[in-house]
Amino acid sequence: MHEGHEQMFRRRFFVSTLLSIPVLLYSETLQSWLGFSVPAFPGSEWINPVFAVVVFGYGGVPFLQMAVPELKDRAPGMMTLISMAISVAFVYSLASVIFPTQSAFFWELVTLIDIMLLGHWIEMRSVRRASSAVDELAKLMPDTAERITDNGDTEEVPVSELTEGDLVLVRPGASVPADGVVEEGDSDVNEAMITGESKPVSKEPGDEVIGGTVNGDGSLRVRIDATGEETTLAGIMRLVEEAQESKSRTQALADRAAGWLFYVALAAAVVTGIAWTVAVSFNAEVIERVVTVLVIACPHALGLAIPLVVAINTSLAARNGMLVRDRIAMEEARNLDAIIFDKTGTLTEGEHGVVGMETVAGVDEDEALALAAAVEGDSEHMIARAIREAADEQGVEAPAADDFEAMKGRGVRAFVDGDEVFVGGPNLLNHLDSEVPSDLQSFAEEAGENARTVVYLVREGDLIAAFAMADVIRDESYRVVEALHDLDIEVAMLTGDSEDVANAVAAELGIDTVFAEVLPEDKDKKVQELQDQGKLVGMVGDGVNDAPALTRSDVGIAIGSGTDVAVQSADVILVQNNPMDVVRLVKLSKASYRKMQENIVWAAGYNVFAIPLAAGVLAPIGILLSPAVGALLMSLSTVIVAINAQLLRRVDLSVPSLPDVSPTTDAQPAD
C-alpha cells in the first residue's frame, strides 16, 4: 500500500511541478519580487488560470478524495485541512478571473499543491522503507524445495507442498525451505537473518535448522517438522506484524493531539476571518489569512511523528534479534528500575558437569554414582545428563530404576532394588526434612564458595552422598551487568540453587539482589517483592518455566532459541540466547522514546508558534505569511520530523567490552 501511494505521489509531484513552472514565470508577484519579466503574447493572461486548474485537477484532487473517508467517519483530520486550504485558494483564484480583485492565488495554489505532494511522497517513502521488516523476512523463504523421494531421487516442489516428515535436500548456498532436523550431512548455516548471530552455526545430524536460513558449503538432508504458519519464520513475521500494527501510549497521545489540532485550526481560522474582516473588511486579504492558517495548522508532521519512529524501531529490533509483541512494554523498558535474570542458561552456560563428590562412611563413590545415574535415567534435566555422563566416564553401570517421578523444583525420585532413592538440591532436603551430616556439610559449603551447585543423594531417608556441579558463567554476563549498572538499572538474579552458590555467582558478577532456592511456582512472588518496593521490574527467563514471572513483570523478556518465538507469556522475545540483547533492548527503548518526544515537540510546538503567525499577529510590523510560505514551513516541519525519525537507525546499540572479556555479536543496523 505504501509503495503504491509513494509512486502515485512521486509521479504527481513531478508532473505538477513541471506544469507549475509557467504559472510561476507569469506570476506578476514573483516577477516583481525577483526582478524579471517574460514576454507577453495574445492569450498569455490565461496561462496562470489554465495551468493552475490542471495542477489542481491532477495534483490536488487526490487530497480531496482522501478527505472523503475522514468526513464520512466524522473524524476530520489532515486530509480535510489540506483539502479545505487548496479548495479555498482554488475557488478564490477562479473567482478573481471573473471578478477582478487585487490579487489571485494561482502561484500560491500550485506551489502549495506541489509542496504537499512532495511532503506526502517523502512520508510514504519513509514509511515504506521503515515498514519493510515483514517483507524482508518473507523474502528469506525460498519458493521451491528439493524433496527426496522414496527411491532416493529428488524432485523440485513448491515449498507450500511440503508436509511434516518430508526429507529434503539442501544444497550448498541454498536456503532451508522449512524448519526441520538434519538427518545427514555436515555444514555451517548462516542464521543471521533469524537470530541476528553473524557467525555461521555448525550443523550435524540431530541438529535443528530454521526455515529461511542459508546453508554453507556442505550438503544437508533435512527431515521437515514444521511448515507454513508453524515455522519459526512465520512466527517471527506474525510478531513483527503485531508490533508494527500496535500503538504505543505516545502514539495514542499524538493521535489525540492531531484531533485537538483540527478544532484549534478551525477555531483559529474563524477567529482570524472575523478579526481581519472587522479590521479591513471582507476581501481577498481575509481569505488569504484564513487559507494560511488552515494550511500551516495541518497535522501532517504530527501524524508522521510517532508511526515512523515505531516502524523504524520495530525494524531495528528485528534486525538485532528482538521481537516486540507489546509496543507499550517496549516503551516501558526505558523506565526499568530492576531487571531479574534467571541464572541457569541465561547468566551461565547452562551445561553442568560433576566436578566433585563426597559420600558418607560406608558408601562407595561408584555405588553412589550408580544409584544417582539410575534415578536420573529418565530425566532430561541438565543435572541428570551431567550425572549420567559422569557415570559413563567412570565406567559405572547404573542399575534398573522403577516408578520414576519428577518432583517439580525439588528433584527426582525412583525405586532402585526396592529402595526409595531421591536426587535433588536444597529444596529436596527441606521437603524431606533431612539433616546434612557434618562431612557432607563441609563439602557443600566449600562447593558453594566456589560457585558450584550441590546435588544430594538420599536413600531410604538417609542422605548418603553429595555431588558438586559446575556451571560456567558466560563471558557476556559480566558485560551485561556492568552495562545495566551504567544505565542505573538494578540487577537481580533468580535461581533454585542454594544460597551459597547463588551468592558466589552474584559476587562474581556484581549482582545487586539475589533470590536463591526459589521454586518455579514462587518466581512470580519475587517479581512482586521488587514491585512492592515501587520498582518497575523486567524479568528475563526462558518463557516456559518462568511464564508466571514473565507475566507478572512489567516487561517480560523471553530469551532462548528461535524455536521459542511463539512464547505467549513474554512482551519481548530475544531470538538469540544472548543476555547482551537485554541491554540493547533498553538502549533502543530509550532512543526510540527520545525520538518520539523530539518529533512531538517539533510537530506540535511548531503549530503553537506558526498558527498565530499565520493569523497575522505580526501584521502591525509588516510580517505576513502567504499561503505558499505557510505550505513551505508546514512541509519543512514534516521533512524535519521524517529525517529525525530516520536518525534512529544510527543509534548505538553496542555494549562496551570489559578487560579480558571477549566481545560477542555486534549490533545490526536497521534495513
Side-chain angles (χ1 to χ4, degrees), residues 138-158:
K139 292 176 183 177
L140 298 177
M141 192 65 74
D143 296 323
T144 60
E146 290 190 67
R147 184 166 56 190
I148 300 176
T149 62
D150 293 337
N151 58 15
D153 296 332
T154 60
E155 59 178 355
E156 187 171 295
V157 298

Side-chain angles (χ1 to χ4, degrees), residues 226-461:
T227 61
E229 292 300 310
E230 298 178 357
T231 63
T232 295
L233 185 59
I236 292 174
M237 291 173 64
R238 284 194 299 272
L239 294 175
V240 174
E241 285 177 332
E242 289 174 7
Q244 288 182 337
E245 293 172 1
S246 65
K247 287 188 176 183
S248 66
R249 291 193 178 112
T250 314
Q251 186 173 343
L253 176 61
D255 292 340
R256 290 196 299 270
W260 297 334
L261 182 58
F262 166 73
Y263 296 105
V264 170
L266 286 185
V270 171
V271 172
T272 299
I274 294 174
W276 278 83
T277 299
V278 172
V280 300
S281 75
F282 185 77
N283 55 27
E285 190 175 6
V286 174
I287 296 179
E288 182 176 338
R289 289 302 95 217
V290 172
V291 169
T292 306
V293 169
L294 292 173
V295 168
I296 209 165
C298 291
H300 196 177
L302 189 59
L304 179 64
I306 304 306
L308 187 54
V309 174
V310 168
I312 295 174
N313 170 287
T314 303
S315 174
L316 189 57
R319 283 281 294 168
N320 284 276
M322 295 177 279
L323 303 177
V324 182
R325 296 186 64 245
D326 187 331
R327 174 56 44 192
I328 293 179
M330 177 61 166
E331 200 170 287
E332 288 288 357
R334 67 189 171 84
N335 291 323
L336 287 176
D337 300 305
I339 295 180
I340 303 175
F341 287 88
D342 186 52
K343 180 182 78 72
T344 306
T346 303
L347 296 176
T348 63
E349 295 288 353
E351 292 296 330
H352 285 75
V354 178
V355 295
M357 181 177 176
E358 184 73 23
T359 62
V360 297
V363 177
D364 182 74
E365 287 192 359
D366 286 350
E367 178 188 359
L369 189 57
L371 273 177
V375 175
E376 296 282 16
D378 290 340
S379 175
E380 287 303 317
H381 193 277
M382 61 186 70
I383 289 179
R385 290 196 297 269
I387 290 177
R388 291 198 300 268
E389 289 174 1
D392 291 339
E393 291 174 0
Q394 294 290 334
V396 175
E397 184 175 347
D402 301 314
D403 196 16
F404 172 84
E405 178 187 358
M407 305 168 65
K408 189 175 181 181
R410 296 182 174 88
V412 293
R413 178 202 66 99
F415 284 88
V416 180
D417 295 332
D419 293 334
E420 187 177 29
V421 183
F422 296 85
V423 177
N427 288 327
L428 173 67
L429 301 187
N430 294 334
H431 175 69
L432 298 177
D433 197 21
S434 298
E435 294 290 335
V436 181
S438 58
D439 47 353
L440 295 187
Q441 182 67 42
S442 300
F443 173 81
E445 291 174 356
E446 182 180 351
E449 293 173 359
N450 292 309
R452 295 171 179 174
T453 300
V454 178
V455 176
Y456 298 97
L457 176 66
V458 179
R459 180 175 59 186
E460 289 295 306

Side-chain angles (χ1 to χ4, degrees), residues 469-608:
M469 319 291 292
D471 186 7
V472 180
I473 296 175
R474 301 174 62 153
D475 285 346
E476 302 94 325
S477 299
Y478 295 92
R479 300 170 64 205
V480 169
V481 175
E482 182 76 16
L484 290 177
H485 283 162
D486 289 343
L487 294 171
D488 294 325
I489 296 176
E490 175 186 340
V491 181
M493 185 179 71
L494 191 64
T495 179
D497 286 343
S498 67
E499 291 275 359
D500 291 339
V501 172
N503 289 332
V505 173
E508 177 76 13
L509 292 174
I511 289 174
D512 307 294
T513 304
V514 178
F515 299 110
E517 300 182 19
V518 180
L519 296 174
E521 59 266 28
D522 293 333
K523 288 185 177 182
D524 63 320
K525 297 178 182 178
K526 302 304 178 182
V527 174
Q528 184 68 53
E529 282 185 26
L530 293 182
Q531 290 175 329
D532 290 342
Q533 298 173 20
K535 297 175 181 177
L536 197 70
V537 180
M539 171 67 194
V540 184
D542 62 12
V544 180
N545 295 328
D546 302 318
L550 289 170
T551 304
R552 171 80 67 179
S553 65
D554 298 287
V555 180
I557 305 169
I559 184 169
S561 67
T563 56
D564 292 331
V565 297
V567 174
Q568 296 300 311
S569 55
D571 302 310
V572 180
I573 297 165
L574 307 181
V575 180
Q576 296 187 77
N577 189 11
N578 188 351
M580 295 293 297
D581 289 336
V582 176
V583 181
R584 295 190 178 112
L585 172 67
V586 175
K587 283 191 168 187
L588 182 57
S589 175
K590 289 178 178 290
S592 299
Y593 192 76
R594 185 165 58 249
K595 287 299 177 189
M596 290 179 185
Q597 287 181 311
E598 291 170 358
N599 278 359
I600 287 182
V601 169
W602 175 259
Y606 154 84
N607 284 283
V608 171

Side-chain angles (χ1 to χ4, degrees), residues 115-169:
I115 292 170
M116 291 295 183
L117 289 171
L118 174 62
H120 277 71
W121 172 30
I122 293 175
E123 174 188 347
M124 291 296 107
R125 181 172 178 270
S126 299
V127 173
R128 176 188 60 80
R129 290 181 62 187
S131 301
S132 62
V134 175
D135 295 333
E136 293 301 315
L137 286 172
K139 292 176 183 177
L140 298 177
M141 192 65 74
D143 296 323
T144 60
E146 290 190 67
R147 184 166 56 190
I148 300 176
T149 62
D150 293 337
N151 58 15
D153 296 332
T154 60
E155 59 178 355
E156 187 171 295
V157 298
V159 171
S160 58
E161 292 186 8
L162 291 178
T163 59
E164 185 176 342
D166 282 348
L167 185 65
V168 297
L169 173 64

